[in-house]
Amino acid sequence: MTRSTGAIILLVVTLVASNLWWAYRLLDTGVTQTYMGVALDDNKQALAQTLALLPVVARPGVSRDEVLAAARSAEPSAAPFEKDGFVWVGNIGLKFNERGQLVGASRAWSPP
């Protein structure tokens, strides 16, 4: 094997390794961007729900049903369900006391 053949083989192996590294980085970046997009959409939905709640919860004597209706107005497809003491509507959890007053809220992606 001559010197030039050895150099060519070394360069080909280096090129293939470099291309594999770039392909891995591209795939990793695509996955990361996808997760960031989903997280951004979740934050956007939770913000819209929270902003829809503010005018309702600012009124004195607001009922639990009015609060849940306001939370659903920003995300109509979200069916409320109860879990861990919270009523979950979309990406936010609402905590009510025994009198039906709102006493807390939580995000779905990091609940208490």
Side-chain angles (χ1 to χ4, degrees), residues 2 20 26 31 34 39 43 53 55 57 69 72 78 82 86 89-91 94 104-105:
T2 64
L20 289 173
L26 183 64
V31 170
T34 301
N43 278 312
L53 282 173
V57 298
R72 287 197 70 195
E82 291 190 38
F86 285 84
V89 182
N91 283 325
L94 305 170

Side-chain angles (χ1 to χ4, degrees), residues 31-44:
V31 170
T32 301
Q33 291 291 327
T34 301
Y35 279 114
M36 283 180 16
V38 169
L40 181 62
D41 289 342
D42 288 345
N43 278 312
K44 184 177 177 181

Side-chain angles (χ1 to χ4, degrees), residues 1-14:
M1 181 158 70
T2 64
R3 269 175 97 169
S4 62
T5 306
I8 291 172
I9 290 173
L10 179 64
L11 288 173
V12 167
V13 168
T14 305

